[in-house]
């Protein structure tokens, strides 16, 4: 599916700074990616994004994601607002949390195991004042290793472009 993205081209180049750093959350039905993000757009309308994060709740949860992106369209509305439409494909190593009910102790036991998340989708990024970026991502994910299956996902973030 992602090969389709190579035939589309953005009408314009990115009209704001091409590097960004910030925070991103992407959640599928069973697992997700959360953490600090670095993004870079290149002059040929291709880009990449890396996200890594961890959180300690009932268990230690982590995520490491690499994403390849293709810019389709950029619109500049005025000197302060621009939008971009992009496609993406990703691979992520995530921890999958499962709850199992123990009949003997009558308690839910929480376990984590590694999972591999592969996905494809599209995103819309709004940039304000040439530096504050809010990307939204939508996609289809396949999860391997732990709880294999397909699901849909949604993501949002806030980035500072420099």
């Amino acid at each position: 599916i992602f090969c389709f993205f190579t035939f589309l081209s953005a009408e314009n180049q990115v009209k704001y700074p091409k590097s960004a750093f910030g925070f991103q959350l992407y959640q599928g039905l069973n697992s997700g990616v959360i953490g600090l993000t670095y993004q870079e757009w290149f002059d040929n309308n291709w880009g990449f994004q890396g996200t890594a994060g961890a959180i300690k709740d009932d268990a230690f949860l982590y995520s490491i994601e690499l994403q390849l992106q293709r810019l389709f369209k950029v619109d500049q509305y005025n000197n302060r607002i621009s939008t971009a439409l992009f496609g993406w494909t990703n691979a992520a190593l995530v921890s999958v949390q499962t709850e199992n009910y123990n009949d003997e102790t009558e308690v839910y036991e929480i376990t984590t195991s590694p999972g591999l998340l592969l996905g494809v989708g599209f995103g819309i990024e709004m940039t304000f004042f040439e530096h504050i970026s809010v990307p939204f991502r939508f996609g289809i994910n396949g999860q391997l290793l732990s709880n294999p299956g397909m699901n849909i996902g949604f993501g949002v973030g806030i980035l500072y472009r420099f």
Side-chain angles (χ1 to χ4, degrees), residues 76-96:
Q76 182 99 19
Y77 296 106
N78 56 39
N79 291 337
R80 297 185 186 118
I81 299 172
S82 64
T83 60
L85 174 65
F86 63 93
W88 57 267
T89 185
N90 75 338
L93 180 64
V94 298
S95 58
V96 179

Side-chain angles (χ1 to χ4, degrees), residues 74-157:
V74 176
D75 283 320
Q76 182 99 19
Y77 296 106
N78 56 39
N79 291 337
R80 297 185 186 118
I81 299 172
S82 64
T83 60
L85 174 65
F86 63 93
W88 57 267
T89 185
N90 75 338
L93 180 64
V94 298
S95 58
V96 179
Q97 183 173 334
T98 55
E99 293 182 0
N100 299 314
Y101 185 73
N102 188 331
D103 291 328
E104 294 176 6
T105 61
E106 297 181 355
V107 174
Y108 281 98
E109 296 174 349
I110 298 172
T111 60
T112 60
S113 55
L116 179 63
L117 198 63
L118 302 174
V120 63
F122 70 96
I124 300 167
E125 181 176 358
M126 295 176 289
T127 303
F128 304 96
F129 305 106
E130 295 184 3
H131 294 286
I132 307 301
S133 171
V134 181
F136 295 93
R137 295 189 321 178
F138 307 90
I140 299 171
N141 305 304
Q143 185 168 303
L144 306 172
L145 302 180
S146 298
N147 296 333
M150 298 282 291
N151 60 52
I152 58 172
F154 171 76
V156 65

